[in-house]
Amino acid sequence: MPADETIFSRILRGEIPCDEVYGDERCLAFRDIQPQAPVHVLVIPRRPIVNLNEAEDADAPLLGHLLLVAARVARQEGLTAWRTVINNGAEAGQSVFHLHVHVIGGRSLAWPPG
Ligand code: AMP
């Protein structure tokens, strides 16, 4: 399925609602619909990229921006310790094939993840 057919593209087009916490010309951040922690936000690029495997050198500024926005969102949410997760591929837990950075915090987080 091409990245522009995912539920996240529908959110970006405004076809389905989201609980937005940050947005700019390059990305959108919104609360995960099935939060795994008190704070669980997804940061996604407006330009559809399937996952990091499909990213190219030219995407470096955008990928860096997503991480800086993740930190911005964490600060905005009052978090001092938090985790970012990017799942790549179904066997790694990726269920939506439009790149997204999970920002998870607000509780103790175990390591290693399952
Ligand atoms: P992943 O499993 O890494 O691909 O993460 C996809 C995430 O998207 C999951 O945590 C889902 O709960 C979340 N998700 C799916 N649909 C929506 C939606 N409509 N709004 C917000 N989050 C969603």
Side-chain angles (χ1 to χ4, degrees):
M1 179 192 295
D4 60 355
E5 297 300 327
T6 70
I7 193 152
F8 291 173
S9 288
R10 297 190 63 200
I11 288 174
L12 287 166
R13 292 197 296 263
E15 293 171 5
I16 57 174
C18 72
D19 187 355
E20 179 177 338
V21 297
Y22 176 83
D24 63 25
E25 72 285 0
R26 285 185 283 175
C27 71
L28 181 68
F30 53 92
R31 296 191 194 284
D32 196 292
I33 204 165
Q34 285 188 294
Q36 302 301 312
V39 175
H40 189 170
V41 171
L42 304 173
V43 184
I44 71 172
R46 292 192 185 275
R47 189 159 58 76
I49 299 173
V50 170
N51 57 28
L52 283 181
N53 262 349
E54 303 291 326
E56 300 174 353
D57 286 351
D59 297 319
L62 176 59
L63 297 176
H65 183 66
L66 296 178
L67 293 180
L68 290 172
V69 168
R72 179 190 184 117
V73 165
R75 281 194 301 275
Q76 192 174 296
E77 295 291 320
L79 300 176
T80 52
W82 44 281
R83 183 175 293 168
T84 52
V85 174
I86 303 174
N87 293 321
N88 286 269
E91 286 183 26
Q94 185 175 10
S95 60
V96 179
F97 288 83
H98 180 130
L99 179 69
H100 48 283
V101 180
H102 296 259
V103 179
I104 300 167
R107 64 167 170 82
S108 294
L109 299 169
W111 189 265

